[in-house]
Amino acid sequence: MRLNAVLAPALLSSAALIGHAIADDEPSAPSDIDRPEFTPSNLKAPFLEQFTDDWETRWKPSHATKENSKDDEEWAYVGEWSVEEPTVLKGIEGDKGLVVKNPAAHHAISSKFEKPIDNTDNTLVVQYEVKLQNGLECGGAYMKLLRDNEALHLEEFSNASPYVIMFGPDKCGATNKVHFIFQHKNPKTGEYEEKHLKTPPIARITKTTTLYRLTVKPDQTYAIDIDGDEAKSGSLLEDFNPPVTPEKEIDDKDDEKPDDWVEQARIPDPEATKPDDWDEDAPYEVVDEEATKPDDWLDDEPVSVPDPEAEKPEDWDDEEDGDWIPPTVPNPKCDEVSGCGEWKPPMKKNPDFKGKWTAPMIDNPEYKGVWKPRKIANPDYFEDNTPSNFEPMGAIGFEIWTMQNNILFDNIYIGHSIEDADQFKADTWDIKNPIEKAEEDATKPKKEDKPKSSDLKFMDDPVRFVAEKWDLFLTIAQKDPVQAFKFVPEVGMGIGGILVTVVALIAGIVSMSKSSAPQAKKAAEKGKGAAKSVKEKVAEAAATGAETTKSEVNKRKSQAAEQ
């Protein structure tokens, strides 16, 4: 246990150093790609954002703390925001977007509409661009349309702020989806309830700009488009959980199952009896009396023999260590025949074996079925056939946590016109997308080049692959060790494998010490000096590793504090 405690910091520190030593350089952009200059759109809409130079007059970072319902711990929104041009696959010169600057941090920022957006009996179109410049392994890139009310203060925007719609990509580990959640008010109770799309589409994880659009029509249909192609469509009344309209009848919580209610459908036949010839003691296997010994069987040859190549160690002392006995090896003569040693007939399955007798099952004449409480009228029942008439929306906000930084948001349209959204797409995304893809194709690594970051596979570069996984594991573990083991299971299995190996070695040493006490005693005497030397070296390495790990953690904490 002491050795594990000493080695663990050194191992973690070494992994961190290896991960940070790997360069993460992106290939330079080709100079021959013609990029147009950015020109602000003249389109008019309830909300249109291209993050021009006056963006700070409209957007306010949050200074609130994030509420955590699972425990009493609070998280500050320390993540920084910046408006800048893309650093990866730039499509248009001078085209800037809102950028998440810090990995492994909570970010929140919002902007108020000039006047509330009311979607009553109207079409709602929400469209925006997401550019994952460093990919996305664990984090969100979704937006929230906030409920308009007097308590809406941008500086206090947090995860607890009431919202109307949540829309956009979210990925962590195996979870990868485009959220569409809306909050619906029960007209009888006045309570709000989240309605989640049952089968959301998969988010597109790419470093080129992805265009997400949500369209909700007054006929209660919705559509989610990704890069101009429909990814999901359906009905607000049918595709969400819980459903908008509750059940007319609900279970009576006061109803109780009667004591004599029988739910067992089948029972052992009470009239059945065990047959007289049923032998429960008959063994499963018996000796095969018909088997005969093979003609080439060597009765006088042992199964194992002393190893002819083994030599007594030079430092073996017969008086202290006892008589030296060479180790044994399989008898090579036995490999050439059916077997060696005393021959015994093999076992075979007993034809008379029946096992323990049990009565056959029959239908239970007392069976009444699975009990269910009676149904009563739902006192909170209501019908809402127009859930698309969302409550007025007063602001837009991004409230996310992500392990990857440099997520860029741009060209946000919120309004009521599909035609205007199409025009905005034509003026922005349709121009930059082919340019970005052309640069992506031109800068793809050659076959001899090493893959980068999330594209890397174990067989391409085992050392780099392991180092990057360690680095990601350590980064996540600083926030939540449990999530680190879930998100990077390869590291968790590796740590488990090391522990199992150490336990097995210790068990083997203990076993050997019990079976060869004299040898173990002498080995312990002779190894005492060597063990002392190894212990000193391990302690020195552990101290160095611990100091390195402490330095790395302090550096990251300092960065978070500065933010």
Side-chain angles (χ1 to χ4, degrees):
M1 292 301 291
R2 291 179 190 162
L3 186 60
N4 288 344
V6 171
L7 287 178
L11 289 172
L12 291 174
S13 177
S14 300
L17 290 174
I18 292 172
H20 287 293
I22 295 175
D24 224 3
D25 298 332
E26 292 290 338
S28 59
S31 58
D32 58 346
I33 294 181
D34 185 22
R35 295 181 178 85
E37 290 289 337
F38 169 73
T39 302
S41 174
N42 294 322
L43 194 69
K44 301 299 181 182
F47 184 81
L48 191 77
E49 181 61 77
Q50 292 187 285
F51 297 100
T52 48
D53 292 340
D54 58 345
W55 71 276
E56 288 182 298
T57 63
R58 299 183 297 276
W59 292 83
K60 301 295 180 184
S62 173
H63 301 299
T65 55
K66 182 172 183 177
E67 295 184 7
N68 190 343
S69 59
K70 295 182 180 179
D71 50 50
D72 296 331
E73 189 172 7
E74 292 183 343
W75 301 95
Y77 290 102
V78 298
E80 295 179 346
W81 299 87
S82 175
V83 167
E84 57 192 50
E85 293 186 58
T87 58
V88 178
L89 304 178
K90 181 166 65 173
I92 300 175
E93 289 290 348
D95 185 17
K96 299 179 181 180
L98 181 66
V99 179
V100 174
K101 297 303 295 180
N102 308 106
H106 297 272
H107 295 71
I109 193 170
S110 57
S111 176
K112 252 187 178 179
F113 302 148
E114 289 186 4
K115 62 179 182 179
I117 297 177
D118 189 346
N119 197 56
T120 303
D121 298 328
N122 210 339
T123 295
L124 177 67
V125 182
V126 180
Q127 178 175 290
Y128 74 117
E129 296 174 358
V130 178
K131 189 175 183 65
L132 307 173
Q133 300 184 91
N134 290 340
L136 186 63
E137 294 182 341
C138 190
Y142 44 80
M143 66 159 63
K144 290 181 179 179
L145 301 183
L146 307 181
R147 192 186 313 156
D148 182 58
N149 55 46
E150 295 181 358
L152 180 57
H153 302 294
L154 302 187
E155 295 82 359
E156 299 175 3
F157 171 49
S158 72
N159 63 318
S161 299
Y163 70 90
V164 179
I165 291 176
M166 175 173 158
F167 172 64
D170 188 15
K171 182 181 185 299
C172 194
T175 300
N176 183 12
K177 58 186 174 182
V178 178
H179 285 294
F180 175 22
I181 306 171
F182 66 92
Q183 290 200 342
H184 184 264
K185 184 178 181 180
N186 186 316
K188 283 196 171 183
T189 64
E191 296 180 353
Y192 289 89
E193 186 176 49
E194 288 185 347
K195 309 297 182 181
H196 293 248
L197 183 60
K198 293 178 182 176
T199 55
I202 296 175
R204 192 160 295 175
I205 309 302
T206 175
K207 294 182 181 180
T208 58
T209 300
T210 301
L211 182 69
Y212 291 95
R213 178 192 289 184
L214 169 66
T215 305
V216 179
K217 296 182 178 181
D219 63 358
Q220 312 314 308
T221 61
Y222 70 91
I224 296 175
D225 294 352
I226 303 178
D227 289 349
D229 298 322
E230 184 178 287
K232 179 75 175 179
S233 63
S235 169
L236 297 178
L237 297 170
E238 299 174 1
D239 296 351
F240 288 78
N241 187 39
V244 172
T245 301
E247 299 290 336
K248 287 185 176 181
E249 292 185 328
I250 60 173
D251 292 339
D252 183 359
K253 61 181 182 180
D254 296 327
D255 192 16
E256 296 181 356
K257 182 173 70 173
D259 295 336
D260 60 350
W261 190 277
V262 179
E263 290 185 315
Q264 189 174 359
R266 293 176 64 79
I267 59 173
D269 185 355
E271 299 181 359
T273 56
K274 183 175 70 173
D276 295 337
D277 59 349
W278 191 286
D279 186 1
E280 292 184 338
D281 298 325
Y284 178 75
E285 289 184 325
V286 294
V287 175
D288 187 357
E289 302 293 348
E290 298 179 357
T292 57
K293 182 174 70 174
D295 294 337
D296 61 347
W297 191 277
L298 302 179
D299 295 87
D300 299 329
E301 285 290 337
V303 175
S304 60
V305 296
D307 185 356
E309 298 180 359
E311 296 181 358
K312 183 170 72 172
E314 295 180 359
D315 58 349
W316 188 275
D317 190 330
D318 291 337
E319 293 184 359
E320 292 187 11
D321 303 332
D323 293 337
W324 180 77
I325 301 175
T328 59
V329 296
N331 190 342
K333 294 181 180 180
C334 300
D335 294 337
E336 302 172 358
V337 295
S338 300
C340 297
E342 181 185 359
W343 180 84
K344 294 181 180 179
M347 303 294 286
K348 69 174 184 179
K349 186 176 179 180
N350 185 1
D352 296 326
F353 174 77
K354 294 184 178 180
K356 184 175 180 61
W357 181 85
T358 56
M361 303 296 288
I362 61 171
D363 292 337
N364 187 353
E366 304 294 330
Y367 176 66
K368 295 184 178 181
V370 177
W371 182 85
K372 296 179 181 179
R374 63 174 171 265
K375 294 289 185 178
I376 59 173
N378 184 356
D380 296 328
Y381 174 77
F382 65 90
E383 283 190 38
D384 183 356
N385 295 319
T386 57
S388 66
N389 291 338
F390 301 117
E391 293 206 353
M393 295 161 275
I396 176 178
F398 293 98
E399 188 272 317
I400 58 178
W401 178 88
T402 176
M403 288 302 302
Q404 280 68 47
N405 62 345
N406 289 331
I407 299 174
L408 184 147
F409 303 105
D410 198 8
N411 294 322
I412 305 173
Y413 171 91
I414 302 173
H416 307 292
S417 173
I418 296 177
E419 292 74 18
D420 286 350
D422 286 339
Q423 183 61 53
F424 195 41
K425 169 179 173 290
D427 295 340
T428 55
W429 186 84
D430 285 352
I431 295 174
K432 70 174 65 175
N433 181 253
I435 298 174
E436 291 178 350
K437 287 192 173 181
E439 181 182 338
E440 182 181 44
D441 292 339
T443 56
K444 278 184 178 178
K446 305 294 188 296
K447 290 185 178 180
E448 64 272 18
D449 291 344
K450 292 182 179 180
K452 306 297 184 198
S453 189
S454 59
D455 299 326
L456 191 67
K457 297 181 181 178
F458 179 81
M459 295 305 296
D460 294 322
D461 190 338
V463 175
R464 184 184 176 89
F465 178 86
V466 172
E468 289 190 352
K469 288 296 182 182
W470 265 111
D471 189 52
L472 179 60
F473 178 85
L474 292 174
T475 303
I476 299 177
Q478 291 180 25
K479 291 287 183 182
D480 191 335
V482 175
Q483 288 298 323
F485 276 90
K486 289 182 178 179
F487 182 58
V488 195
E490 302 93 334
V491 176
M493 290 188 290
I495 294 174
I498 292 174
L499 293 176
V500 170
T501 302
V502 171
V503 171
L505 287 173
I506 294 174
I509 293 172
V510 172
S511 176
M512 290 175 60
S513 65
K514 290 183 179 179
S515 60
S516 304
Q519 293 90 330
K521 180 179 180 181
K522 183 176 181 181
E525 290 289 336
K526 293 180 179 180
K528 186 175 181 180
K532 182 177 180 182
S533 176
V534 170
K535 182 178 180 181
E536 292 174 352
K537 292 180 180 179
V538 169
E540 181 181 356
T544 303
E547 287 298 318
T548 305
T549 303
K550 183 177 180 182
S551 175
E552 179 68 17
V553 172
N554 289 339
K555 180 173 70 176
R556 298 191 182 190
K557 288 184 177 178
S558 298
Q559 293 174 349
E562 292 173 0
Q563 296 162 3

